[in-house]
Amino acid sequence: MALMPVSDALAAVLADAEPLAEEIVALDQAYHRVLARDLAARRTQPPEAMSAMDGYAVRAADAATIDSRLNVTGEVAAGRPFAGTVGPGEAVRIFTGGVIPDGADAVVIQEDTVADGSGVTIKEAAIPGRHIRRAGVDFAEGDVLLRKGTRLTERDLALAAAMNHPQLAVCRRPKVAILATGDELVTPGTTPGPGQIVYSNGYALHALARSEGAETIDLGIAADTLESTSAGIRRARERGADILVTTGGASVGDHDLVQQALRDEGIAMAFWKIAIRPGKPMMHGRLDAMRVIGLPGNPVSSYVCAFLFMVPLIRALSGRSNIRHQRERAVLGRDLGANDQREDYLRARLELREDGTPVAVPVNHQDSSLLANLAAAQVLLVRAPFAPKAEAGTPCEVLRLPV
């Protein structure tokens, strides 16, 4: 079977991936959730003209001359407006956040005045509108300030609060169930026996899924039997997983049983080999609402494929407006040979020249089992199928890895 191009594989993974149902959450529970609806302001901010500084609210015409003396007739503090009007020759003491009194059209800051009992002498000429935050300078009632598909930052939460929203409509978090396979796997802290290795893939996959806003379900490690693998798949369905991610057993050897177990459980396979390095033996299928991504067992292959395919799928189901990874421009830090028919994702460090140009320096060993090199990388350097050899300094494209 011909290898499926990476772009076609991603399109298959994302096909019909619609945002999950919305739910209402309290504002303080909405950090990094994804808005299910556009959000409009329920109020104007600020609702009235307010002072930006401590000083005196005046009529600019009365304070246009240095050493003008005005009669102080009252005081304004935040939350305590002045009931009267500023008339000719008058000033009102005002503090930051105080409502500008009727009649006033400027604020002279306290550093530019000298108070003397019931009056104040102006030492800096007033300018109409100076030090005044006009009504609605931030936003007006009805303004749509946060859009559907936004993953909410702490700054967005502050804005939503100022817009007077105590609750927000967000998309449900996708549930990602992760099932490892392989008799050779033992958990960290265990002494591996002959031919065994310490299981590491799942820790990266759980963290990656959670960092994208998903809930994760740990299905443990299935033995290399059809019965054990099938039982793990059924547990994912029983626990309402939106995405089942398997790691290991995605190839076609006698002990690679995941594909057969998926078929036995009724999962229609869209593909099981793609033109990618690392990670050629990757699978994708679907059973009703549950989507399946079968990752290779090699830890680097597992992570890279999860980053390239699982992350966009989580984003799509979460309702995110930005689903796909964005490539960035850099230059090669060393010479590279010609590529073969597979799209290559080289682990690379990202360095900066003195002029700020990013330089992608591939690590020396690209073997898909080398976790130390993966951990040391900041980007994946993308090389197209059949790319010709390239010299250091040649433009290239990279994908930033999570930090």
Side-chain angles (χ1 to χ4, degrees), residues 45 88 173 190 206 221 249 253 293 327:
Q45 173 75 357
R173 297 179 187 271
T190 304
H206 280 280
I221 301 172
I293 295 177
R327 296 185 181 186

Side-chain angles (χ1 to χ4, degrees), residues 13 20 172 175-179 217 219 229-246 261-262 265-269 284-293 313 317:
V13 169
L20 299 174
R172 179 174 68 78
K175 294 181 180 179
V176 179
I178 299 173
L179 174 68
I217 302 167
L219 298 176
T229 306
S230 296
I233 297 168
R234 288 193 293 272
R235 288 200 305 276
R237 295 188 65 193
E238 291 165 0
R239 296 183 65 174
D242 301 294
I243 305 171
L244 167 62
V245 177
T246 65
L262 292 172
E265 293 300 314
I267 295 174
M269 302 302 297
H284 168 61
R286 186 170 176 178
L287 179 59
D288 299 325
M290 187 174 76
R291 298 163 186 273
V292 179
I293 295 177
L313 179 56
L317 296 179

Side-chain angles (χ1 to χ4, degrees), residues 307-308 325-327 345 378-380 382 398-401:
F307 177 71
L308 294 176
H325 296 297
Q326 299 300 310
R327 296 185 181 186
Y345 290 82
Q378 289 86 44
V379 296
L380 297 176
V382 186
V398 299
L399 297 173
R400 285 187 186 266
L401 294 171

Side-chain angles (χ1 to χ4, degrees), residues 329-349:
R329 301 288 290 177
V331 297
L332 288 177
R334 65 176 176 85
D335 297 347
L336 291 176
N339 197 18
D340 61 14
Q341 76 273 19
R342 290 194 277 172
E343 190 161 292
D344 216 347
Y345 290 82
L346 302 174
R347 279 73 71 205
R349 301 186 308 277

